[in-house]
Amino acid sequence: MTKNLVIVESPAKAKTIEKFLGKDYTVRSSFGHIRDLDKGDNAIDIKNGFKPNYVVSPDKTKVVAELKKLAKESETVWLASDEDREGEAISWHLFEVLGLKEDKTKRIVFHEITKPAIENAIKNPRKIDKALVDAQQARRILDRLVGFELSPILWKKVKPSLSAGRVQSVAVRLIVEREREVNNFNSQSDFRIFAEFTKEGQSKVIKAELPQRFQTEKEALDFLNLALDSQFGVKNIEVKPAQRKAAAPFTTSTLQQEASRKLGYPVAKTMLLAQKLYEAGHITYMRTDSVNLSETAIRGAAAEIIRAYGKEYSFPRNYTTKSSSAQEAHEAIRPTYFENHSAGSDAQEMKLYELIWKRSIASQMAHAELERTIVDIEVSKAGRTLKAEGEIIKFDGFLKVYLESSDDDEDEENAGILPPLSVGEKLNLVHMISEQKFSRPAPRYTEASLVKKLEELGIGRPSTYAPTISTIQKRGYVLKDNREGTTRSFQTATLKGGKITVKTATEKTGVEKSKLFPTDIGTLVTDFLSEHFHQIMDYGFTAAVEKEFDEIAQGMIGWNKMIEGFYKPFHKDVDNTLATAERVSGEREIGRDPETGKLVIGRIGRYGPLVQIGDSEDEDKKFASLRSGQTIETITLEQALELFKLPRFIGEYKGEKVTAAIGRFGPYIKFGSIFASIPKDRDVFEVNLEEAIVLIEAKIKAEQEKLIKSFSEDKDLEILKGRWGPYIAYKKNNFKIPKDTDAAKLTFAQVMELIEKQGGIKDKKSKSDSGEPKAKAKAKAKAKAKAKTKK
DNA sequence: CAGTGAGCGAGCTTCCGCTTGACTT
């Protein structure tokens, strides 16, 4: 029998709070939302004011049953879910589902998990804010309406199983548009002048640069020629104090960005590691949009900074959140105990913890005091001055522990220390270089920079950034990929020892690592949705509906009124699109085949993007799949024709033809019935007979080693080595072997037992026979369940 | 359109936000 039941969202939080509250309080967790809209078509009664039909989520029935029981036994139930829209809704659903009584229920909130905060919350209970709950219902219903009306359009007009939604479709659009920007970018070049000097009698190099840029190589060379006859001297020295300030402590989004830049973690990995640190009690909650720190945290950080670095390094303060969409239900992400400089159960967790610790500590440390020196160096004959910059750190402050990285720090070379100089002083030129520099397009998104952009647009929440990124990749809209880049030449000239040498040098351009690229399907779907659902695809759509949700939360409008206002025109577009829009395949005319004069087109087929010679009427049209990295939008006629050169005849081996081609699993060599994959570093168009024979022989050998064991009891039974380890093959059926068993030692009886356990063999040919295939049985069960709910 | 082991054809797919598990089917 408990007096008080407190319900929070997270079990780790429950554990901590229980300690603060003592024995009169039982603290349990709801594990997030306990109810959601029903799965099928009867989730929302559109004709009846969009009345939602909520059901307890299947994985929550146990939690709900337990909470119900505890609630019944308790004198007071304290609903302590987060203080934001979703949290308020969780409390309301709990109230409804648990059948709570108003006079025995109290709603409390706290933004930080500290004893005073919890005690204060208990002293100040309130009622459930129904207007805020309604705002959440509107959000939920709008997302369902958008997602479940748009996706089926894609199934009909593009391809089955695709999806669309308020968040994901805009995320894909960002990537598609960035890709087009990059591909259409017209790179311009100009010429920059760099120089290095020394002070008389010293070896320390002073680096300088001409602030102006030259448009042509001739202007740059003219400048070098003038410099050739020039004297160099210090014309002016400017010394300015400067400051650098620490960045705010981490939110989910900034944590993901920094972990990506500094540690190279994908966002999902960062969240997984953070979750573990949180569950172990090392850090505060990792899904937050707030930069706020509790009083306790600020005091704790200050104490640790003073202890470890000294009083002058401490600068306690709080930060304010810039993002307007922030709901600030939690603290910033920080260590629970600042005195622990290290925590975590493996190297990756420890690195992430260290990053969080440093960032949080730095946020409470003093500004760095710098002295920036700018020296103008006169080039006597040219009438222009070069600039040399130096920076001295007078007081390192927070830089002692942490410096935030930026996405493009290529140009960002730290200014060094300059030797003492005086105006009028002569300098010796070591060398002067003119270099052609090319402008660059906006960079393609990484997972983390996409999260940053989404947050700026107010799209998505801390709990959904990582899942959204994985969804758009799973749907095949977006691909995380690398590009090798191409070599390009640039002009450079060096003035050294009274001589000018002109040279053409080369550099790599377009190298990409772990960047997000749109696939053909991603591009196609984005164009389709943009054409027919301009409003949903607008980058400001979420911000606009958020404004209306806020009005609902303030009681200014009813939620069903808002939804109705949105749904009427939206649904009209849906009907209209279903009725009138053509099925799309992303077809693009690439050119004409010079041999036959037939049309060459690119489009998306059943198995993905392909090029085709001859239109759909053509009897002898030919097909070829695109290779990875190629897209319908960018493939050239030359590249397309190249694809038709496959399969390519390489030569003969043992009297049989050897050919090379590209299949569903990549490039391969074919020899009789043998297929051997061509390794990544070899080109399918270049591989020669000698190399092919090596691959063929290796494959034959692998085939021979494939058989691990056969059985005299039954010739059809074999244990084979497959792609995923040993498996049992029996009469065209395959069966798994448990991980920890030695496949070679299995006896006939053991193998038969394994087969029996996995449902025995099924006749492949005849249709209705012993035992239905698994998938089918499942589908049937589902259909039955559906029929039931409809009644 | 086409290749490795399964599947081979009827009925399914899908949204966004909260939160963690997991009976091995």
Side-chain angles (χ1 to χ4, degrees), chain A residues 10 33 139 161 163 166-168 285 287 463 607 665 706 724 764:
Chain A
S10 145
H33 274 296
R139 198 280 305 156
S161 301
S163 65
R166 174 177 57 84
V167 172
Q168 58 168 287
Y285 197 57
R287 291 185 276 265
S463 66
Y607 301 97
F665 308 99
K706 197 172 144 189
W724 300 312
K764 293 263 154 167

Short mmCIF file of all heavy atoms in Angstrom, two decimals, chain A residues 10 33 139 161 163 166-168 285 287 463 607 665 706 724 764, chain B residues 1-7 9 13-20:
data_model
loop_
_atom_site.label_atom_id
_atom_site.label_comp_id
_atom_site.label_asym_id
_atom_site.label_seq_id
_atom_site.Cartn_x
_atom_site.Cartn_y
_atom_site.Cartn_z
N SER A 10 10.58 8.58 -17.81
CA SER A 10 11.74 7.72 -18.02
C SER A 10 12.10 6.93 -16.76
O SER A 10 12.12 7.49 -15.67
CB SER A 10 12.91 8.59 -18.47
OG SER A 10 14.11 8.10 -17.97
N HIS A 33 4.88 7.82 -24.16
CA HIS A 33 3.45 7.76 -24.43
C HIS A 33 2.92 6.35 -24.17
O HIS A 33 3.60 5.36 -24.47
CB HIS A 33 3.17 8.10 -25.90
CG HIS A 33 3.02 9.57 -26.14
ND1 HIS A 33 2.01 10.32 -25.60
CD2 HIS A 33 3.76 10.42 -26.89
CE1 HIS A 33 2.14 11.58 -25.99
NE2 HIS A 33 3.19 11.67 -26.77
N ARG A 139 -1.40 18.41 -33.19
CA ARG A 139 -0.12 18.05 -33.79
C ARG A 139 -0.16 16.60 -34.25
O ARG A 139 0.18 16.26 -35.38
CB ARG A 139 0.98 18.26 -32.75
CG ARG A 139 2.40 18.34 -33.26
CD ARG A 139 3.04 16.99 -33.56
NE ARG A 139 3.02 16.07 -32.44
CZ ARG A 139 3.08 14.75 -32.57
NH1 ARG A 139 3.14 14.19 -33.76
NH2 ARG A 139 3.05 13.97 -31.52
N SER A 161 5.21 1.14 -50.87
CA SER A 161 5.98 1.22 -49.62
C SER A 161 6.70 2.53 -49.37
O SER A 161 7.44 2.65 -48.40
CB SER A 161 7.01 0.09 -49.53
OG SER A 161 6.36 -1.14 -49.59
N SER A 163 7.03 6.59 -48.40
CA SER A 163 6.38 7.34 -47.34
C SER A 163 6.61 8.82 -47.52
O SER A 163 7.56 9.25 -48.16
CB SER A 163 6.91 6.89 -45.99
OG SER A 163 8.27 7.21 -45.87
N ARG A 166 5.33 15.33 -42.77
CA ARG A 166 5.66 16.73 -42.53
C ARG A 166 7.16 16.93 -42.34
O ARG A 166 7.73 17.91 -42.81
CB ARG A 166 4.91 17.22 -41.28
CG ARG A 166 5.27 18.62 -40.84
CD ARG A 166 4.43 19.06 -39.64
NE ARG A 166 4.54 18.16 -38.50
CZ ARG A 166 5.53 18.21 -37.60
NH1 ARG A 166 6.47 19.11 -37.69
NH2 ARG A 166 5.56 17.36 -36.60
N VAL A 167 7.82 16.00 -41.64
CA VAL A 167 9.23 16.16 -41.35
C VAL A 167 10.12 15.53 -42.41
O VAL A 167 10.98 16.18 -43.01
CB VAL A 167 9.56 15.57 -39.95
CG1 VAL A 167 11.05 15.57 -39.70
CG2 VAL A 167 8.83 16.36 -38.88
N GLN A 168 9.90 14.24 -42.68
CA GLN A 168 10.82 13.54 -43.56
C GLN A 168 10.86 14.10 -44.98
O GLN A 168 11.93 14.17 -45.59
CB GLN A 168 10.51 12.05 -43.60
CG GLN A 168 9.12 11.70 -44.03
CD GLN A 168 8.98 10.21 -44.32
OE1 GLN A 168 9.48 9.70 -45.31
NE2 GLN A 168 8.32 9.50 -43.43
N TYR A 285 19.59 14.17 -18.94
CA TYR A 285 18.81 13.67 -20.05
C TYR A 285 19.35 14.15 -21.40
O TYR A 285 19.70 15.31 -21.56
CB TYR A 285 17.35 14.09 -19.88
CG TYR A 285 16.44 13.29 -20.73
CD1 TYR A 285 16.42 11.91 -20.61
CD2 TYR A 285 15.62 13.89 -21.67
CE1 TYR A 285 15.60 11.16 -21.41
CE2 TYR A 285 14.79 13.15 -22.47
CZ TYR A 285 14.79 11.77 -22.34
OH TYR A 285 13.99 11.02 -23.13
N ARG A 287 17.87 14.03 -24.52
CA ARG A 287 16.99 14.58 -25.55
C ARG A 287 16.41 15.89 -25.04
O ARG A 287 15.39 15.91 -24.36
CB ARG A 287 15.89 13.58 -25.90
CG ARG A 287 16.42 12.36 -26.63
CD ARG A 287 15.32 11.43 -27.08
NE ARG A 287 14.91 10.54 -26.03
CZ ARG A 287 15.38 9.28 -25.86
NH1 ARG A 287 16.27 8.81 -26.70
NH2 ARG A 287 14.95 8.54 -24.89
N SER A 463 13.93 14.14 -29.94
CA SER A 463 13.76 12.68 -29.92
C SER A 463 13.63 12.12 -31.34
O SER A 463 13.62 10.91 -31.51
CB SER A 463 12.52 12.30 -29.11
OG SER A 463 11.36 12.77 -29.77
N TYR A 607 13.35 -2.33 -60.58
CA TYR A 607 14.49 -2.65 -59.73
C TYR A 607 15.41 -1.47 -59.55
O TYR A 607 16.57 -1.60 -59.20
CB TYR A 607 15.25 -3.83 -60.32
CG TYR A 607 14.39 -5.06 -60.45
CD1 TYR A 607 13.78 -5.37 -61.66
CD2 TYR A 607 14.18 -5.88 -59.36
CE1 TYR A 607 12.97 -6.49 -61.77
CE2 TYR A 607 13.38 -7.00 -59.46
CZ TYR A 607 12.77 -7.30 -60.66
OH TYR A 607 11.97 -8.40 -60.76
N PHE A 665 24.13 -7.15 -57.76
CA PHE A 665 25.05 -7.09 -56.63
C PHE A 665 26.38 -6.48 -57.03
O PHE A 665 27.38 -6.67 -56.37
CB PHE A 665 25.25 -8.48 -56.04
CG PHE A 665 23.95 -9.15 -55.73
CD1 PHE A 665 23.40 -10.08 -56.60
CD2 PHE A 665 23.27 -8.82 -54.58
CE1 PHE A 665 22.19 -10.68 -56.32
CE2 PHE A 665 22.05 -9.42 -54.29
CZ PHE A 665 21.50 -10.35 -55.16
N LYS A 706 32.43 -24.86 -50.02
CA LYS A 706 31.11 -24.51 -49.54
C LYS A 706 30.48 -25.67 -48.75
O LYS A 706 29.79 -25.44 -47.76
CB LYS A 706 30.23 -24.19 -50.75
CG LYS A 706 28.99 -23.44 -50.44
CD LYS A 706 28.31 -23.01 -51.73
CE LYS A 706 26.82 -23.07 -51.57
NZ LYS A 706 26.12 -22.88 -52.83
N TRP A 724 26.21 -15.89 -44.72
CA TRP A 724 26.00 -15.54 -43.32
C TRP A 724 26.39 -16.69 -42.41
O TRP A 724 25.79 -16.90 -41.36
CB TRP A 724 24.56 -15.12 -43.11
CG TRP A 724 24.22 -13.93 -43.94
CD1 TRP A 724 24.97 -12.80 -44.04
CD2 TRP A 724 23.12 -13.75 -44.82
NE1 TRP A 724 24.40 -11.94 -44.91
CE2 TRP A 724 23.25 -12.48 -45.40
CE3 TRP A 724 22.02 -14.54 -45.15
CZ2 TRP A 724 22.34 -11.98 -46.32
CZ3 TRP A 724 21.11 -14.02 -46.06
CH2 TRP A 724 21.27 -12.76 -46.63
N LYS A 764 7.97 -26.67 -52.52
CA LYS A 764 8.10 -25.37 -53.17
C LYS A 764 7.12 -25.18 -54.33
O LYS A 764 6.69 -24.09 -54.61
CB LYS A 764 9.51 -25.23 -53.74
CG LYS A 764 10.54 -25.18 -52.69
CD LYS A 764 10.87 -23.76 -52.44
CE LYS A 764 11.38 -23.64 -51.04
NZ LYS A 764 12.01 -22.36 -50.83
P DC B 1 11.43 -7.28 -66.89
OP1 DC B 1 10.74 -7.85 -68.00
OP2 DC B 1 11.41 -7.85 -65.56
"O5'" DC B 1 12.94 -6.94 -67.25
"C5'" DC B 1 13.48 -7.16 -68.55
"C4'" DC B 1 14.96 -7.31 -68.41
"O4'" DC B 1 15.52 -6.06 -67.94
"C3'" DC B 1 15.36 -8.37 -67.39
"O3'" DC B 1 16.06 -9.41 -68.04
"C2'" DC B 1 16.29 -7.68 -66.39
"C1'" DC B 1 16.55 -6.32 -67.02
N1 DC B 1 16.48 -5.26 -65.96
C2 DC B 1 17.63 -4.54 -65.66
O2 DC B 1 18.67 -4.79 -66.28
N3 DC B 1 17.58 -3.59 -64.69
C4 DC B 1 16.44 -3.36 -64.06
N4 DC B 1 16.44 -2.42 -63.13
C5 DC B 1 15.25 -4.08 -64.36
C6 DC B 1 15.30 -5.03 -65.31
P DA B 2 16.05 -10.78 -67.22
OP1 DA B 2 16.15 -11.83 -68.24
OP2 DA B 2 14.99 -10.80 -66.20
"O5'" DA B 2 17.44 -10.68 -66.45
"C5'" DA B 2 18.63 -10.34 -67.14
"C4'" DA B 2 19.77 -10.37 -66.16
"O4'" DA B 2 19.73 -9.18 -65.34
"C3'" DA B 2 19.71 -11.54 -65.16
"O3'" DA B 2 21.03 -11.96 -64.88
"C2'" DA B 2 19.04 -10.94 -63.94
"C1'" DA B 2 19.60 -9.53 -63.97
N9 DA B 2 18.74 -8.54 -63.34
C8 DA B 2 17.38 -8.59 -63.11
N7 DA B 2 16.90 -7.53 -62.53
C5 DA B 2 18.02 -6.71 -62.36
C6 DA B 2 18.19 -5.45 -61.81
N6 DA B 2 17.20 -4.74 -61.29
N1 DA B 2 19.43 -4.92 -61.79
C2 DA B 2 20.43 -5.63 -62.31
N3 DA B 2 20.39 -6.84 -62.86
C4 DA B 2 19.14 -7.32 -62.85
P DG B 3 21.36 -13.43 -64.89
OP1 DG B 3 22.47 -13.58 -65.79
OP2 DG B 3 20.10 -14.18 -65.05
"O5'" DG B 3 21.90 -13.66 -63.43
"C5'" DG B 3 21.05 -13.76 -62.35
"C4'" DG B 3 21.78 -14.62 -61.34
"O4'" DG B 3 23.09 -14.06 -61.12
"C3'" DG B 3 21.09 -14.63 -59.98
"O3'" DG B 3 21.43 -15.87 -59.38
"C2'" DG B 3 21.77 -13.49 -59.25
"C1'" DG B 3 23.20 -13.65 -59.76
N9 DG B 3 23.99 -12.44 -59.73
C8 DG B 3 23.76 -11.25 -60.35
N7 DG B 3 24.69 -10.37 -60.12
C5 DG B 3 25.60 -11.02 -59.30
C6 DG B 3 26.80 -10.56 -58.72
O6 DG B 3 27.33 -9.47 -58.83
N1 DG B 3 27.41 -11.55 -57.96
C2 DG B 3 26.91 -12.81 -57.78
N2 DG B 3 27.61 -13.62 -57.02
N3 DG B 3 25.79 -13.25 -58.31
C4 DG B 3 25.19 -12.30 -59.05
P DT B 4 20.33 -16.56 -58.52
OP1 DT B 4 19.71 -17.59 -59.36
OP2 DT B 4 19.48 -15.58 -57.83
"O5'" DT B 4 21.29 -17.30 -57.49
"C5'" DT B 4 21.60 -16.69 -56.27
"C4'" DT B 4 23.00 -17.11 -55.88
"O4'" DT B 4 23.87 -15.96 -55.95
"C3'" DT B 4 23.08 -17.62 -54.45
"O3'" DT B 4 23.86 -18.80 -54.42
"C2'" DT B 4 23.79 -16.52 -53.71
"C1'" DT B 4 24.67 -15.91 -54.79
N1 DT B 4 25.02 -14.50 -54.51
C2 DT B 4 26.35 -14.18 -54.34
O2 DT B 4 27.23 -15.00 -54.41
N3 DT B 4 26.58 -12.86 -54.09
C4 DT B 4 25.65 -11.84 -53.98
O4 DT B 4 25.99 -10.70 -53.75
C5 DT B 4 24.28 -12.25 -54.16
C7 DT B 4 23.20 -11.25 -54.08
C6 DT B 4 24.03 -13.55 -54.41
P DG B 5 23.12 -20.22 -54.17
OP1 DG B 5 24.13 -21.09 -53.55
OP2 DG B 5 22.58 -20.55 -55.48
"O5'" DG B 5 21.85 -20.14 -53.26
"C5'" DG B 5 21.89 -19.84 -51.90
"C4'" DG B 5 20.51 -20.03 -51.35
"O4'" DG B 5 20.61 -19.97 -49.95
"C3'" DG B 5 19.56 -18.91 -51.72
"O3'" DG B 5 18.22 -19.35 -51.40
"C2'" DG B 5 19.95 -17.86 -50.77
"C1'" DG B 5 20.24 -18.68 -49.51
N9 DG B 5 21.30 -18.13 -48.69
C8 DG B 5 22.39 -17.40 -49.10
N7 DG B 5 23.17 -17.04 -48.11
C5 DG B 5 22.55 -17.58 -47.00
C6 DG B 5 22.91 -17.52 -45.63
O6 DG B 5 23.89 -16.98 -45.14
N1 DG B 5 22.01 -18.19 -44.83
C2 DG B 5 20.89 -18.85 -45.29
N2 DG B 5 20.14 -19.41 -44.40
N3 DG B 5 20.53 -18.91 -46.56
C4 DG B 5 21.40 -18.25 -47.35
P DA B 6 17.24 -19.62 -52.56
OP1 DA B 6 17.53 -20.96 -53.12
OP2 DA B 6 17.19 -18.44 -53.44
"O5'" DA B 6 15.87 -19.67 -51.77
"C5'" DA B 6 15.70 -20.60 -50.71
"C4'" DA B 6 15.10 -19.89 -49.52
"O4'" DA B 6 16.07 -18.98 -48.97
"C3'" DA B 6 13.87 -19.03 -49.86
"O3'" DA B 6 12.93 -19.28 -48.82
"C2'" DA B 6 14.37 -17.61 -49.76
"C1'" DA B 6 15.40 -17.76 -48.66
N9 DA B 6 16.42 -16.74 -48.55
C8 DA B 6 16.97 -15.95 -49.52
N7 DA B 6 17.91 -15.13 -49.09
C5 DA B 6 17.97 -15.40 -47.74
C6 DA B 6 18.75 -14.86 -46.71
N6 DA B 6 19.67 -13.91 -46.88
N1 DA B 6 18.55 -15.35 -45.47
C2 DA B 6 17.63 -16.31 -45.29
N3 DA B 6 16.84 -16.89 -46.17
C4 DA B 6 17.07 -16.37 -47.39
P DG B 7 11.47 -19.73 -49.34
OP1 DG B 7 10.75 -20.09 -48.13
OP2 DG B 7 11.64 -20.70 -50.43
"O5'" DG B 7 10.81 -18.42 -49.98
"C5'" DG B 7 9.97 -17.58 -49.19
"C4'" DG B 7 9.51 -16.43 -50.05
"O4'" DG B 7 10.64 -15.60 -50.37
"C3'" DG B 7 8.90 -16.85 -51.39
"O3'" DG B 7 7.48 -16.87 -51.27
"C2'" DG B 7 9.32 -15.75 -52.35
"C1'" DG B 7 10.60 -15.19 -51.73
N9 DG B 7 11.82 -15.67 -52.38
C8 DG B 7 12.12 -16.94 -52.80
N7 DG B 7 13.32 -17.05 -53.31
C5 DG B 7 13.83 -15.75 -53.22
C6 DG B 7 15.08 -15.23 -53.62
O6 DG B 7 16.02 -15.83 -54.15
N1 DG B 7 15.18 -13.88 -53.34
C2 DG B 7 14.22 -13.13 -52.75
N2 DG B 7 14.48 -11.85 -52.56
N3 DG B 7 13.03 -13.58 -52.37
C4 DG B 7 12.92 -14.90 -52.64
P DG B 9 4.09 -17.29 -57.92
OP1 DG B 9 4.13 -18.63 -57.28
OP2 DG B 9 4.33 -17.15 -59.37
"O5'" DG B 9 2.71 -16.58 -57.59
"C5'" DG B 9 2.03 -16.90 -56.40
"C4'" DG B 9 1.63 -15.63 -55.67
"O4'" DG B 9 2.81 -14.93 -55.24
"C3'" DG B 9 0.83 -14.63 -56.53
"O3'" DG B 9 -0.29 -14.22 -55.76
"C2'" DG B 9 1.78 -13.48 -56.75
"C1'" DG B 9 2.67 -13.55 -55.50
N9 DG B 9 4.00 -12.99 -55.64
C8 DG B 9 4.62 -12.58 -56.80
N7 DG B 9 5.83 -12.12 -56.60
C5 DG B 9 6.03 -12.24 -55.23
C6 DG B 9 7.16 -11.91 -54.44
O6 DG B 9 8.22 -11.44 -54.80
N1 DG B 9 6.93 -12.19 -53.10
C2 DG B 9 5.77 -12.72 -52.59
N2 DG B 9 5.74 -12.92 -51.28
N3 DG B 9 4.71 -13.04 -53.32
C4 DG B 9 4.92 -12.77 -54.63
P DT B 13 0.38 -2.72 -43.51
OP1 DT B 13 0.48 -2.87 -42.06
OP2 DT B 13 -0.79 -2.07 -44.14
"O5'" DT B 13 1.68 -1.96 -44.04
"C5'" DT B 13 2.91 -2.67 -44.16
"C4'" DT B 13 3.78 -1.93 -45.15
"O4'" DT B 13 3.19 -2.00 -46.47
"C3'" DT B 13 3.94 -0.44 -44.84
"O3'" DT B 13 5.30 -0.10 -44.97
"C2'" DT B 13 3.09 0.24 -45.91
"C1'" DT B 13 3.26 -0.72 -47.08
N1 DT B 13 2.20 -0.64 -48.11
C2 DT B 13 2.56 -0.33 -49.40
O2 DT B 13 3.71 -0.10 -49.72
N3 DT B 13 1.53 -0.30 -50.28
C4 DT B 13 0.19 -0.55 -50.04
O4 DT B 13 -0.63 -0.49 -50.92
C5 DT B 13 -0.12 -0.88 -48.66
C7 DT B 13 -1.54 -1.17 -48.27
C6 DT B 13 0.88 -0.90 -47.77
P DT B 14 5.98 0.62 -43.78
OP1 DT B 14 7.40 0.71 -44.10
OP2 DT B 14 5.50 0.01 -42.53
"O5'" DT B 14 5.34 2.09 -43.86
"C5'" DT B 14 5.66 2.93 -44.96
"C4'" DT B 14 4.84 4.19 -44.86
"O4'" DT B 14 3.45 3.88 -45.08
"C3'" DT B 14 4.88 4.83 -43.47
"O3'" DT B 14 5.80 5.92 -43.52
"C2'" DT B 14 3.46 5.33 -43.22
"C1'" DT B 14 2.68 4.87 -44.44
N1 DT B 14 1.38 4.25 -44.13
C2 DT B 14 0.24 4.81 -44.65
O2 DT B 14 0.26 5.79 -45.35
N3 DT B 14 -0.92 4.17 -44.30
C4 DT B 14 -1.05 3.05 -43.50
O4 DT B 14 -2.15 2.56 -43.26
C5 DT B 14 0.18 2.50 -43.00
C7 DT B 14 0.16 1.29 -42.14
C6 DT B 14 1.33 3.12 -43.33
P DC B 15 6.49 6.42 -42.21
OP1 DC B 15 7.79 6.96 -42.59
OP2 DC B 15 6.36 5.38 -41.15
"O5'" DC B 15 5.53 7.62 -41.80
"C5'" DC B 15 5.19 8.63 -42.73
"C4'" DC B 15 4.44 9.72 -42.00
"O4'" DC B 15 3.24 9.16 -41.47
"C3'" DC B 15 5.23 10.26 -40.82
"O3'" DC B 15 5.87 11.45 -41.22
"C2'" DC B 15 4.16 10.53 -39.78
"C1'" DC B 15 2.99 9.67 -40.19
N1 DC B 15 2.73 8.50 -39.29
C2 DC B 15 1.66 8.57 -38.39
O2 DC B 15 0.98 9.59 -38.36
N3 DC B 15 1.43 7.50 -37.60
C4 DC B 15 2.21 6.41 -37.67
N4 DC B 15 1.92 5.39 -36.87
C5 DC B 15 3.29 6.33 -38.58
C6 DC B 15 3.53 7.40 -39.37
P DC B 16 7.20 11.86 -40.53
OP1 DC B 16 7.66 13.06 -41.25
OP2 DC B 16 8.08 10.69 -40.41
"O5'" DC B 16 6.76 12.28 -39.06
"C5'" DC B 16 5.96 13.43 -38.92
"C4'" DC B 16 5.73 13.71 -37.46
"O4'" DC B 16 4.94 12.65 -36.88
"C3'" DC B 16 7.01 13.80 -36.61
"O3'" DC B 16 6.83 14.87 -35.71
"C2'" DC B 16 7.05 12.45 -35.91
"C1'" DC B 16 5.56 12.20 -35.69
N1 DC B 16 5.14 10.79 -35.49
C2 DC B 16 4.18 10.51 -34.51
O2 DC B 16 3.74 11.45 -33.84
N3 DC B 16 3.79 9.23 -34.31
C4 DC B 16 4.30 8.25 -35.06
N4 DC B 16 3.87 7.02 -34.84
C5 DC B 16 5.26 8.51 -36.07
C6 DC B 16 5.66 9.78 -36.26
P DG B 17 7.98 15.60 -34.96
OP1 DG B 17 7.91 17.02 -35.23
OP2 DG B 17 9.24 14.87 -35.24
"O5'" DG B 17 7.60 15.39 -33.46
"C5'" DG B 17 7.23 14.13 -33.06
"C4'" DG B 17 6.76 14.18 -31.64
"O4'" DG B 17 6.03 12.97 -31.49
"C3'" DG B 17 7.94 14.13 -30.68
"O3'" DG B 17 7.60 14.75 -29.46
"C2'" DG B 17 8.18 12.65 -30.52
"C1'" DG B 17 6.82 12.03 -30.77
N9 DG B 17 6.88 10.80 -31.57
C8 DG B 17 7.61 10.55 -32.70
N7 DG B 17 7.47 9.31 -33.15
C5 DG B 17 6.57 8.75 -32.24
C6 DG B 17 6.02 7.44 -32.18
O6 DG B 17 6.24 6.50 -32.95
N1 DG B 17 5.16 7.28 -31.12
C2 DG B 17 4.84 8.26 -30.22
N2 DG B 17 3.99 7.94 -29.25
N3 DG B 17 5.34 9.48 -30.25
C4 DG B 17 6.19 9.65 -31.28
P DC B 18 8.74 15.20 -28.49
OP1 DC B 18 8.40 16.56 -28.12
OP2 DC B 18 10.04 14.88 -29.10
"O5'" DC B 18 8.56 14.33 -27.17
"C5'" DC B 18 9.05 13.04 -27.15
"C4'" DC B 18 8.37 12.26 -26.09
"O4'" DC B 18 7.34 11.48 -26.71
"C3'" DC B 18 9.31 11.26 -25.44
"O3'" DC B 18 9.91 11.82 -24.31
"C2'" DC B 18 8.36 10.13 -25.07
"C1'" DC B 18 7.33 10.18 -26.16
N1 DC B 18 7.61 9.22 -27.26
C2 DC B 18 7.13 7.93 -27.12
O2 DC B 18 6.47 7.64 -26.10
N3 DC B 18 7.40 7.00 -28.08
C4 DC B 18 8.11 7.36 -29.15
N4 DC B 18 8.33 6.41 -30.06
C5 DC B 18 8.61 8.67 -29.33
C6 DC B 18 8.34 9.57 -28.37
P DT B 19 11.37 11.38 -24.05
OP1 DT B 19 11.75 12.03 -22.80
OP2 DT B 19 12.18 11.61 -25.25
"O5'" DT B 19 11.27 9.82 -23.85
"C5'" DT B 19 11.19 9.32 -22.54
"C4'" DT B 19 10.84 7.85 -22.57
"O4'" DT B 19 10.00 7.54 -23.68
"C3'" DT B 19 12.03 6.93 -22.77
"O3'" DT B 19 12.65 6.77 -21.51
"C2'" DT B 19 11.34 5.65 -23.22
"C1'" DT B 19 10.20 6.19 -24.08
N1 DT B 19 10.52 6.16 -25.53
C2 DT B 19 10.21 5.04 -26.26
O2 DT B 19 9.68 4.06 -25.77
N3 DT B 19 10.55 5.11 -27.59
C4 DT B 19 11.16 6.16 -28.23
O4 DT B 19 11.41 6.12 -29.42
C5 DT B 19 11.45 7.30 -27.41
C7 DT B 19 12.11 8.51 -28.03
C6 DT B 19 11.12 7.25 -26.12
P DT B 20 14.08 6.35 -21.46
OP1 DT B 20 14.54 6.49 -20.09
OP2 DT B 20 14.84 6.89 -22.59
"O5'" DT B 20 13.70 4.84 -21.77
"C5'" DT B 20 14.57 3.81 -21.48
"C4'" DT B 20 13.73 2.57 -21.65
"O4'" DT B 20 12.93 2.68 -22.83
"C3'" DT B 20 14.60 1.35 -21.83
"O3'" DT B 20 14.03 0.33 -21.05
"C2'" DT B 20 14.54 1.06 -23.30
"C1'" DT B 20 13.15 1.56 -23.66
N1 DT B 20 12.99 1.97 -25.08
C2 DT B 20 11.86 1.55 -25.76
O2 DT B 20 11.00 0.87 -25.24
N3 DT B 20 11.78 1.96 -27.07
C4 DT B 20 12.69 2.73 -27.75
O4 DT B 20 12.52 3.04 -28.92
C5 DT B 20 13.85 3.13 -26.98
C7 DT B 20 14.88 3.99 -27.63
C6 DT B 20 13.93 2.73 -25.71
#
